[in-house]
């Protein structure tokens, strides 16, 4: 582990600031993209092109009455919405945004991300339980079951990337993709990771903890005001974080395609600007994918989600991992 | 929370009473829920869905006994939108009552108008001019498309694809604009009159209908393209809510619900009214009886409706749109404004209305978008019906829901409700 330097603090500060803002921007983007898909205009009244709409949304949420159900568990009900926000914020600590631009490089960064990312579901499950509503409870239980089922294929998909990097550090994972992106070397895991990232972020088609139509909002049925706002923002932060992880693990992080082969040497500042722009562009694309999917396709049923997770994704990811392990072993020992 | 006195906290009197009434309701279905006061974990979860629930299409209430995500027993509670429309009819003249029919199945007002007017015409022996028949058919088929579009939007939305709702609503908007030009109302059109229709189709209404008929098949194709090969949509609907043919007939289900179960019963063909015997159309039928079958049936019905409208536009005869007998129908405004007799007749029609012979009674049903919509009228010789009964399709079709729900999953409830496509205004009257 490297010593904490001033750069770390600066990067962490900027990253957190950007992540918080990106949630607001994602809300705006979601509404505009949804409107575009549905032949509408979307928000276009508050500020230029409706850009201040998220601010208006948050102000509205702050002014709403904060209701706790009469027989709910008040403490947990209040703590629950904070958990997903914290876990989303904690992930940026290890993600490299550019060459040398990261808050910290811990040698088990990948494990850290997997651990932190799956903690977010506690907020949803506890919130569902503390609300004293059957709908919320069902939503919370669905979230827990879904998280357990999709954590395994996700972990295995990530593990098959680690085979190429040979290290659990994010920096090494990204640098191993300087020439060959993981999506080219390991396309099956890329698909599995994207699918599970959708499930982890509780987005359509895996939004059954929320299930607006049968569970009427699921875990956040009984939430109002800024407590609901936290769940709301956390969802978008998880979308952004999920996009960052997809980018980092499979789409070369801050590297341009085959950058190692053709990208000339350049100055530190120019390289930093290029790296961050590339990273942001990729993240924006995947965030758009999240939104695009959400407004286009229907939602799975509980048993279908379980079937997909345990009977399809898990065996495929196991065999993919084993197959790649054998190939990588032979490559290193006999060919290269 | 103080866990010592947890029972006082989670088991208050009102909730308990409420919970017991839910259990009683399930008891009617021979399902016993053991209430074990001591151990809440041993009691089965009873989920109350509605009447205030966004996906139950109005004020339908469901009581579900759950085993995890699985529904063990379902109980239906309807009647929250009962407005006593049948009783209101007894204090109205026939023509005065006609706008009330718009408010029963409010998604296909035109069909309801036609059903009621045809029933009155049958009991009072009123001849309807040819042109009026064709205009009524065009209106009915447009309202069928509009109703099915709403079903499509909400049903697909219930599976989770939110955008679809807005796409179908854009198409419905066109139909509403057409209705606006036909009768001056977008939603509750009240265009049919006893003895004909209120007014002839205007030129721009005709042009709009023609445009719609030409453009809509492409939209329908797009809908098919989006859904037919959509794996998630397919899996959510196939084999869900299977209703066998015999059971559907026993319950008395009609319309797409019955035709989706493999029984080709369509009153337009079985006992043609208006001029349905002069147009060609198919009766889409599927054998599976699941939600997907009902989806295909309704989608194909929209195709057939377009076909019927096309033929009606081709065959549309010239002539009057309301019968020329002032004892049976309102005289035209020209007569009312420029002749004394017309004025008197107009006054009499409004005051007394049409008087069917004493003691006569009739039942007439039409194929509304949701199924067989029938009006039963008994007359005592005055201008008011002595008794008016409505056989509403949603009421009969909803009875099938309890059968379908048992053994399915919670997430299926909403799409099964969507598949049956009830309108609570129609069901509860």
């Amino acid at each position: 582990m490297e010593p904490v330097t001033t750069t770390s603090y600066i990067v962490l500060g900027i990253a957190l600031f950007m992540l918080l803002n990106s949630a607001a921007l994602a809300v705006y983007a979601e509404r505009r993209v949804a409107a575009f898909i549905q032949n509408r205009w979307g928000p276009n009244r508050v500020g230029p092109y409706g850009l201040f709409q998220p601010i208006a949304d948050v102000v509205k949420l702050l002014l709403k009455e904060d209701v706790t159900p009469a027989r709910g568990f008040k403490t947990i009900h209040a703590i629950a919405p904070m958990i997903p926000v914290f876990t989303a914020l904690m992930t940026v600590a290890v993600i490299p945004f550019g060459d040398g631009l990261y808050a910290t490089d811990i040698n088990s960064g990948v494990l850290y991300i997997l651990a932190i990312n799956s903690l977010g579901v506690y907020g949803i499950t506890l919130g569902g339980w503390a609300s004293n509503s059957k709908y919320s409870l069902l939503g919370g239980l669905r979230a827990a079951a879904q998280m357990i089922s999709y954590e395994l294929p996700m972990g295995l998909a990530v593990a098959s990337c680690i085979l190429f990097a040979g290290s659990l550090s994010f920096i090494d994972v990204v640098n191993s993709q300087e020439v060959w992106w993981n999506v080219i070397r390991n396309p099956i895991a890329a698909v599995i990771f994207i699918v599970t990232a959708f499930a982890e972020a509780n987005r359509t088609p895996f939004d059954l903890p929320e299930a607006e139509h049968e569970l009427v909002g699921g875990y956040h049925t009984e939430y109002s005001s800024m407590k609901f706002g936290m769940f709301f923002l956390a969802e978008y932060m998880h979308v952004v974080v999920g996009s960052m992880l997809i980018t980092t693990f499979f789409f070369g992080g801050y590297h341009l395609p085959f950058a190692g082969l053709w990208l000339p040497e350049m100055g530190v500042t120019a390289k930093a600007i290029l790296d961050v722009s590339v990273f942001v562009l990729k993240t924006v694309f995947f965030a758009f994918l999240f939104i695009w999917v959400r407004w286009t396709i229907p939602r799975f049923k509980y048993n279908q989600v379980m079937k997909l997770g345990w009977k399809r994704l898990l065996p495929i990811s196991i065999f993919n991992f084993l197959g790649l392990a054998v190939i990588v072993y032979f490559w290193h020992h006999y060919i290269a | 929370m103080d866990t010592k006195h947890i029972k006082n906290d989670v088991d208050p009197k009102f909730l308990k009473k409420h919970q017991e009434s839910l259990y009683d309701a399930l008891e009617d279905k021979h399902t016993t829920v053991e209430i074990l006061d001591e151990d809440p974990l041993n009691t089965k979860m009873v989920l109350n869905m509605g009447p205030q629930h966004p996906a139950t299409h109005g004020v339908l209430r469901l009581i579900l006994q759950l085993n995890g995500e699985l529904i063990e027993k379902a109980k239906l509670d309807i009647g929250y939108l009962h407005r006593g429309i049948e009783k209101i009819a007894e204090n109205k003249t026939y023509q005065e009552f006609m706008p009330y029919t718009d408010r029963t199945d409010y998604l296909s007002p035109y069909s309801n108008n036609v059903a009621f007017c045809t029933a009155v015409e049958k009991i009072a022996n009123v001849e309807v001019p040819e042109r009026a028949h064709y205009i009524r058919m065009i209106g009915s088929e447009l309202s069928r498309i509009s109703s099915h579009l709403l079903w499509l939007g909400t049903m697909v939305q219930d599976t989770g694809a939110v955008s679809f709702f807005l796409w179908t609503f854009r198409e419905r908007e066109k139909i509403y604009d057409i209705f606006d030009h036909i009768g001056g109302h977008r939603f509750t059109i009240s265009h049919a009159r006893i003895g004909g229709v209120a007014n002839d189709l205007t030129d721009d209404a005709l042009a709009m209908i023609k445009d719609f008929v030409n453009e809509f098949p492409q939209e329908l194709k797009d809908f098919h393209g989006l859904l037919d090969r959509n794996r998630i949509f397919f899996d959510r609907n196939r084999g869900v809510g299977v209703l066998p043919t015999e059971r559907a007939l026993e319950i008395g289900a009609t319309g797409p619900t019955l035709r989706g179960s493999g029984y080709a019963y369509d009153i337009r063909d079985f006992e043609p009214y208006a001029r349905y015997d002069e147009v060609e159309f198919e009766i889409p039928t599927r054998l599976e009886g699941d939600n997907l079958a009902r989806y295909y049936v309704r989608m194909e019905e929209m195709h057939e409706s377009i076909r019927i409208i096309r033929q009606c536009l081709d065959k549309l005869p010239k002539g009057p749109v309301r019968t020329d007998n002032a004892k049976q129908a309102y005289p035209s405004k020209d007569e009312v404004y420029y002749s004394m007799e017309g004025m008197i007749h107009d006054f009499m029609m409004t005051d007394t209305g049409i008087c069917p012979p004493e003691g006569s009674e009739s039942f007439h049903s039409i194929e509304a978008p949701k199924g067989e919509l029938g009006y039963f009228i008994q007359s005592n010789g005055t201008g008011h019906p002595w008794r008016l009964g409505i056989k509403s399709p949603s009421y009969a079709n909803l009875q099938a829901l309890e059968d379908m729900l048992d053994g399915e999953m919670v997430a299926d409830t909403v799409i099964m409700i969507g598949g049956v496509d009830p309108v609570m205004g129609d069901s509860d009257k």
Side-chain angles (χ1 to χ4, degrees):
Chain A
M1 189 168 165
E2 287 177 19
V4 180
T5 58
T6 328
T7 330
S8 308
Y9 286 117
I10 294 170
V11 172
L12 189 61
I14 293 175
L16 283 178
F17 180 74
M18 294 301 281
L19 185 66
L20 284 168
N21 283 323
S22 70
L25 277 175
V27 173
Y28 173 76
E30 169 122 293
R31 296 180 65 165
R32 273 324 269 260
V33 173
F36 175 66
I37 291 173
Q38 297 168 348
N39 307 312
R40 301 186 282 120
W41 278 106
N44 63 354
R45 291 284 171 248
V46 194
Y49 303 101
L51 268 168
F52 298 149
Q53 186 67 39
I55 300 171
D57 282 350
V58 169
V59 169
K60 181 202 75 177
L61 282 172
L62 282 171
L63 294 177
K64 288 265 177 186
E65 188 191 352
D66 182 15
V67 183
T68 313
R71 321 245 161 232
F73 200 136
K74 289 197 174 52
T75 327
I76 293 184
H77 191 264
I79 292 172
M82 300 176 195
I83 298 174
V85 178
F86 282 139
T87 57
L89 288 177
M90 279 162 83
T91 49
V92 293
V94 291
I95 294 175
F97 301 98
D99 201 2
L101 293 177
Y102 48 83
T104 177
D105 175 22
I106 44 179
N107 53 13
S108 57
V110 174
L111 288 182
Y112 168 81
I113 283 284
L114 286 176
I116 289 297
N117 219 13
S118 48
L119 277 180
V121 77
Y122 275 97
I124 292 171
T125 311
L126 287 176
W129 180 77
S131 295
N132 188 27
S133 154
K134 288 171 186 172
Y135 289 100
S136 301
L137 182 65
L138 280 174
L141 289 177
R142 283 178 180 190
Q146 183 172 306
M147 179 59 70
I148 292 166
S149 323
Y150 281 73
E151 197 65 19
L152 297 170
M154 182 184 235
L156 283 165
V158 169
S160 58
C161 287
I162 304 304
L163 290 175
F164 296 106
S167 155
L168 284 172
S169 156
F170 261 87
I171 316 300
D172 295 336
V173 170
V174 173
N175 284 336
S176 74
Q177 301 179 65
E178 197 170 359
V179 179
W180 291 97
W181 287 5
N182 275 340
V183 68
I184 306 166
R185 292 190 292 201
N186 190 2
I188 299 171
V191 172
I192 289 172
F193 189 82
I194 293 173
V195 170
T196 50
F198 274 79
E200 302 268 306
N202 288 328
R203 296 281 293 188
T204 314
F206 300 101
D207 64 338
L208 46 168
E210 191 179 330
E212 203 180 325
H213 304 101
E214 68 258 21
L215 295 187
V216 215
Y219 61 91
H220 61 57
T221 307
E222 304 291 345
Y223 276 92
S224 61
S225 183
M226 210 47 213
K227 282 186 195 161
F228 168 74
M230 296 249 243
F231 271 133
F232 190 64
L233 289 179
E235 184 187 332
Y236 289 97
M237 279 189 223
H238 275 285
V239 167
V240 176
V241 168
S243 315
M244 283 181 184
L245 292 180
I246 296 173
T247 310
T248 313
F249 278 123
F250 290 95
F251 290 83
Y254 50 80
H255 290 301
L256 283 164
F258 308 104
L261 298 179
W262 58 272
L263 198 71
E265 285 290 315
M266 50 174 84
V268 177
T269 323
K271 184 80 171 78
I273 291 171
L274 179 74
D275 285 349
V276 172
S277 320
V278 168
F279 186 83
V280 167
L281 268 180
K282 287 178 188 170
T283 307
V284 165
F285 172 76
F286 285 108
F288 173 74
L289 186 75
F290 270 94
I291 296 170
W292 188 10
V293 167
R294 156 125 193 224
W295 296 101
T296 320
I297 58 174
R299 174 190 313 121
F300 280 118
K301 207 156 67 172
Y302 178 73
N303 56 350
Q304 290 165 350
V305 166
M306 292 297 125
K307 199 171 134 191
L308 180 70
W310 293 101
K311 285 168 113 177
R312 303 278 188 281
L313 294 184
L314 187 60
I316 294 174
S317 57
I318 289 174
F319 286 121
N320 181 49
F321 176 71
L322 290 177
L324 278 174
V326 170
I327 292 170
V328 169
Y329 179 82
F330 277 96
W331 178 269
H332 281 305
H333 285 258
Y334 297 99
I335 301 168
Chain B
M1 202 192 311
D2 182 10
T3 42
K4 220 172 186 180
H5 306 289
I6 194 164
K7 227 174 133 190
N8 303 339
D9 267 359
V10 296
D11 204 10
K13 283 209 169 67
F14 168 73
L15 277 179
K16 191 165 184 184
K17 218 166 122 191
H18 183 68
Q19 201 68 18
E20 272 164 9
S21 73
L22 293 183
Y23 293 151
D24 284 346
L26 277 169
E27 201 82 30
D28 295 348
K29 280 200 82 188
H30 310 292
T31 316
T32 315
V33 182
E34 320 88 82
I35 311 168
L36 301 171
D37 275 343
E38 298 306 315
D39 185 7
L41 290 177
N42 267 345
T43 317
K44 288 192 171 137
M45 186 194 261
V46 174
L47 187 69
N48 178 50
M49 214 179 209
Q52 303 296 333
H53 188 283
T56 55
H57 292 219
V59 286
L60 176 64
R61 182 181 175 208
L62 293 163
I63 301 159
L64 312 169
Q65 183 190 316
L66 302 180
N67 177 11
E69 287 264 335
L70 225 58
I71 299 168
E72 284 188 338
K73 281 285 167 196
K75 177 90 183 132
L76 220 64
D77 188 6
I78 53 182
Y80 283 91
L81 203 60
H82 178 67
R83 292 157 296 177
I85 280 186
E86 292 178 355
K87 190 68 186 169
I88 290 172
E90 292 168 17
N91 299 305
K92 299 273 173 202
T93 67
Y94 291 97
Q95 189 56 58
E96 268 176 345
F97 179 66
M98 205 272 294
Y100 281 86
T101 62
D102 286 324
R103 275 96 182 152
T104 56
D105 180 356
Y106 39 77
L107 300 179
S108 57
Y110 210 110
S111 301
N112 306 345
N113 297 163
V114 171
F116 175 68
C117 290
T118 324
V120 177
E121 282 149 14
K122 195 171 170 186
I123 196 176
N125 299 316
V126 181
E127 279 290 318
V128 179
E130 278 295 296
R131 189 174 173 85
H133 273 313
Y134 280 93
I135 294 175
R136 281 180 178 186
M137 277 160 71
I138 293 172
S140 301
E141 294 309 316
L142 281 176
S143 75
R144 186 184 315 279
I145 294 173
S146 144
S147 168
H148 283 357
L149 278 175
L150 187 117
W151 152 82
L152 181 66
T154 51
M155 197 271 270
V156 176
Q157 195 195 26
D158 287 343
T159 65
V162 185
S163 298
F164 216 85
F165 185 68
L166 285 116
W167 296 332
T168 60
F169 259 60
R170 193 181 57 167
E171 295 308 303
R172 290 189 79 217
E173 195 63 27
K174 291 178 191 163
I175 298 180
Y176 281 151
D177 285 344
I178 292 173
F179 279 152
D180 193 8
H181 283 257
I182 291 177
H185 276 276
R186 285 160 49 80
F187 196 60
T188 48
I189 176 163
S190 295
H191 185 242
R193 291 283 183 278
I194 293 157
V197 293
N199 57 300
D200 204 347
L201 294 179
T202 53
D203 288 343
D204 50 343
L206 261 176
M208 284 167 90
I209 296 171
K210 275 176 188 154
D211 281 351
F212 180 76
V213 167
N214 289 332
E215 285 163 13
F216 187 66
Q218 183 55 43
E219 292 288 336
L220 213 48
K221 219 172 143 190
D222 289 349
F223 293 156
H224 270 297
L226 271 159
L227 293 175
D228 285 4
R229 294 179 63 77
N230 187 328
R231 188 57 195 266
I232 302 177
F233 178 78
F234 216 75
D235 282 352
R236 284 293 304 266
N237 282 287
R238 190 170 47 184
V240 165
V242 177
L243 183 66
T245 318
E246 294 78 26
R247 189 67 189 136
L249 286 169
E250 263 173 39
I251 288 166
T254 50
T257 312
L258 179 62
R259 289 193 286 274
S261 293
Y263 195 84
Y265 176 68
D266 189 321
I267 298 172
R268 288 176 296 174
D269 177 68
F270 184 73
E271 201 187 334
Y273 54 96
R275 289 294 173 265
Y276 277 107
D277 43 354
E278 287 173 20
V279 290
E280 276 181 19
F281 61 97
E282 305 280 322
I283 304 165
T285 311
R286 292 268 162 168
L287 295 174
E288 295 88 356
D290 59 359
N291 226 23
L292 199 65
R294 293 190 272 276
Y295 158 76
Y296 280 125
V297 165
R298 288 205 177 87
M299 289 301 267
E300 282 158 30
E301 267 183 25
M302 284 196 264
H303 268 295
E304 295 304 318
S305 289
I306 289 289
R307 215 173 128 195
I308 293 172
I309 296 173
R310 279 220 176 96
Q311 294 176 50
C312 288
L313 287 174
D314 289 344
K315 290 187 175 175
L316 197 64
K318 296 264 184 297
V321 292
R322 205 157 55 230
T323 181
D324 197 21
N325 182 344
K327 302 281 180 212
Q328 291 179 330
Y330 275 100
S332 73
K333 285 291 174 210
D334 282 348
E335 275 183 75
V336 180
Y337 291 148
Y338 301 111
S339 79
M340 185 50 82
E341 288 78 13
M343 177 76 185
I344 293 169
H345 279 133
D346 191 68
F347 181 79
M348 288 305 285
M349 277 305 290
T350 306
D351 189 48
T352 325
I354 185 168
C355 300
E358 192 177 352
S360 58
E361 59 178 56
S362 80
F363 175 78
H364 188 268
S365 59
I366 67 153
E367 186 70 24
K370 312 268 185 309
E372 180 182 348
L373 172 66
Y375 278 85
F376 169 74
I377 301 171
Q378 266 184 323
S379 168
N380 60 351
T382 63
H384 316 285
W386 172 249
R387 171 81 177 92
L388 183 139
I390 305 172
K391 189 246 169 257
S392 58
S394 299
Y395 183 77
N397 291 346
L398 269 177
Q399 310 307 318
L401 203 58
E402 281 186 6
D403 270 52
M404 292 183 204
L405 280 170
D406 291 352
E408 302 281 356
M409 307 201 68
V410 181
D412 291 329
T413 13
V414 285
I415 59 169
M416 265 186 266
I417 297 170
V420 169
D421 191 24
V423 167
M424 295 321 286
D426 186 31
S427 162
D428 298 348
K429 297 184 275 276

